Amino acid sequence: MSPTPETAPVREHNPRKARRALIGAYVGTSLEWYDFFLFGTTASIVFAPLFFGGEDPALKVIQSFLLFGIGFLARPVGALLAGHFGDRLGRRTILMVTIVVMGLASALIGVLPTYETAGIVAPVLLAALRFVQGMAAGGEWGGATLMAVENAPEDKRGFYGAVVQLGSPTGTILSSMIVAAVVGLSGEKFLEGAWRIPYLISILLVVVGVWIRLRVDETDDYKDAQAARAAAPEVKEGLPAVEIVRTVPGRLLLGIGTYLFGNAGFFVLTTFMISYATGQLGVPSTVILTAITWGAVAEIITMTIAGKIADRTSPSIVVVVGYAIAAVLAFPIFWLVDTRSTVLITAAMVLGIGFASIPYAPVGTVLTQLFPVKVRYSAIVLCANIAGVVAGFMPALAAWILGATGGTSLGPTLLLLVLALISLVSSIFARRLIRRDEEQNVDQITGDLLQR
């Protein structure tokens, strides 16, 4: 596996610029993930009954989950486009595009006709808009992470990366709370049209997100990379994605594995769990939605702490330990949900979404450390979104496994465990590479000083 990350130049840190970049990355990512997670929240309780024909409820759920997965197929496409132009035109420009596209796609979902009025056209249009959502999400996470981490002081990059990751639970809380509130207020009228309200709210969120991101400057690391290109115009660079595959394919594979559980495990614990609890166990939707909300609150707390610990130890250590914890929690999570107890289901979501998300806090920083600046945007969005393709079909796979194993939770539990183990092994090898890079950088700096 090839070398890489360049030694960052020493520069005077601008605290005000760093704070604005962090706020812009966090708020924008929160709003973006609200839109993306909203689809998962409503997949089984809205799209399954309203957008598909037939009499088999289980088949409708699987079809809605497959539609959910389409968004993840689109994410690598969005990642390639955003990564290419993000490494050429800048992080800020691409982040403006992603938030607008995501918000408009979500608002349009809120005005779609259902299967009853439009037939097969309804799921086709829903699939098209889900694909657009996926493209926007594909470029969002990597750009927001770089915006925060590349502007952060060196000793706080773990924490800054974790704050961006807080956009995920914040989006989960927003989508779960708003859907639960609309369900509670509308009652039986929820499926008659009230389900559209959370999607139409996206228009307001886009306005807020755009206003915040307009106030954020480009990152110093990107400016340095651009200056280096200008100083050496004779050096011809290939497409970033091609350069990654050509020069650091091993790192790309490790990055994908390291990020996998953060997406795939999350959607087993949320999107699939909503269907499992309501459909298989007969738990009211408000119970599981409220439990997921509390899980997201726990996630914010644990990820904030994990980000702080990452700066005192190292981001890669926190990721490795976090995945070990996630693997240990796989069986207890499903055991607690199987009790059908509101309190214990809430405890399961606190453990699953909260504590199993510890590695998600510094994983963006770890991926940033794994790749060089000139292809970093492309590299980390490829890692996240190739992992996302697998993750997008986890709810459908878990639903199929559930049926194939007689409706017991053993199959989905083993699936969750396998995902955690894959990320654990990948993160261990990624940590070794990062430590080797750090040692090489120290040796290089020491050699330069001795020559002077």
Side-chain angles (χ1 to χ4, degrees):
M1 295 185 189
S2 305
T4 73
E6 305 101 328
T7 306
V10 178
R11 64 169 71 94
E12 184 178 349
H13 176 63
N14 186 333
R16 184 168 178 268
K17 179 182 178 181
R19 284 194 299 270
R20 287 172 63 175
L22 185 62
I23 293 170
Y26 165 68
V27 174
T29 301
S30 299
L31 301 182
E32 184 110 353
W33 285 121
Y34 163 82
D35 289 322
F36 199 73
F37 292 152
L38 182 59
F39 197 104
T41 303
T42 55
S44 61
I45 59 178
V46 173
F47 299 137
L50 295 184
F51 281 78
F52 296 95
E55 301 298 328
D56 186 350
L59 180 58
K60 287 184 177 182
V61 169
I62 292 177
Q63 288 175 322
S64 68
F65 283 160
L66 290 174
L67 207 62
F68 174 76
I70 286 176
F72 290 86
L73 285 177
R75 286 178 64 170
V77 178
L80 286 170
L81 291 172
H84 175 74
F85 290 107
D87 285 326
R88 295 291 187 268
L89 304 178
R91 285 65 163 128
R92 180 176 177 270
T93 300
I94 301 306
L95 288 176
M96 293 294 293
V97 173
T98 59
I99 197 169
V100 171
V101 171
M102 175 67 86
L104 291 177
S106 298
L108 288 173
I109 289 175
V111 297
L112 284 181
T114 62
Y115 188 87
E116 183 179 2
T117 57
I120 192 64
V121 173
V124 169
L125 290 175
L126 185 60
L129 290 174
R130 180 59 176 170
F131 192 87
V132 173
Q133 277 191 325
M135 289 185 66
E140 166 64 27
W141 176 81
T145 298
L146 293 181
M147 183 66 72
V149 173
E150 289 183 348
N151 275 308
E154 289 294 332
D155 61 344
K156 292 185 178 179
R157 289 197 162 192
F159 177 68
Y160 272 52
V163 171
V164 177
Q165 300 294 68
L166 294 180
S168 172
T170 303
T172 304
I173 290 171
L174 284 173
S175 62
S176 298
M177 286 183 65
I178 290 176
V179 171
V182 174
V183 169
L185 293 173
S186 61
E188 295 180 355
K189 294 183 178 180
F190 179 71
L191 291 180
E192 294 178 11
W195 66 269
R196 301 177 184 276
I197 295 173
Y199 285 93
L200 296 175
I201 288 175
S202 298
I203 292 293
L204 297 176
L205 300 182
V206 166
V207 174
V208 173
V210 168
W211 178 77
I212 290 173
R213 284 190 167 169
L214 281 172
R215 299 166 58 85
V216 177
D217 297 326
E218 190 53 81
T219 74
D220 290 330
D221 281 8
Y222 173 76
K223 290 178 180 178
D224 290 338
Q226 287 295 86
R229 286 192 182 101
E234 70 282 358
V235 178
K236 301 297 181 183
E237 296 180 1
L239 293 173
V242 174
E243 286 294 302
I244 293 163
V245 174
R246 185 179 66 83
T247 60
V248 286
R251 291 177 184 247
L252 180 64
L253 290 176
L254 288 180
I256 293 167
T258 299
Y259 195 82
L260 181 63
F261 185 86
N263 259 192
F266 177 83
F267 289 115
V268 171
L269 292 168
T270 54
T271 302
F272 168 74
M273 196 65 82
I274 292 170
S275 173
Y276 176 69
T278 57
Q280 190 70 24
L281 302 180
V283 173
S285 59
T286 51
V287 171
I288 186 63
L289 288 172
T290 302
I292 287 173
T293 300
W294 281 114
V297 171
E299 185 180 9
I300 289 176
I301 296 170
T302 57
M303 284 174 60
T304 302
I305 295 171
K308 290 286 189 181
I309 294 174
D311 284 329
R312 298 195 175 192
T313 55
S314 83
S316 57
I317 286 179
V318 174
V319 170
V320 170
V321 173
Y323 282 136
I325 293 172
V328 170
L329 290 175
F331 275 92
I333 289 166
F334 275 93
W335 289 338
L336 290 170
V337 172
D338 284 342
T339 66
R340 296 179 171 85
S341 163
T342 299
V343 173
L344 294 181
I345 288 174
T346 301
M349 292 300 97
V350 168
L351 286 174
I353 302 175
F355 289 91
S357 294
I358 288 172
Y360 191 62
V363 73
T365 305
V366 169
L367 294 185
T368 300
Q369 294 173 330
L370 200 57
F371 297 99
V373 174
K374 64 180 181 180
V375 295
R376 186 178 287 164
Y377 196 141
S378 297
I380 70 172
V381 294
L382 279 175
C383 289
N385 292 293
I386 292 174
V389 171
V390 179
F393 293 95
M394 284 302 103
L397 179 59
W400 178 82
I401 291 174
L402 180 69
T405 55
T408 68
S409 62
L410 178 61
T413 302
L414 290 175
L415 176 62
L416 189 65
L417 176 61
V418 168
L419 292 171
L421 291 176
I422 290 172
S423 287
L424 174 60
V425 173
S426 299
S427 64
I428 290 171
F429 283 100
R431 169 170 164 73
R432 290 181 180 178
L433 281 177
I434 291 168
R435 291 187 66 188
R436 189 184 73 182
D437 292 338
E438 291 172 346
E439 291 170 358
Q440 289 176 347
N441 286 338
V442 170
D443 291 342
Q444 180 181 345
I445 293 171
T446 302
D448 291 343
L449 289 175
L450 289 175
Q451 288 179 359
R452 294 175 187 174

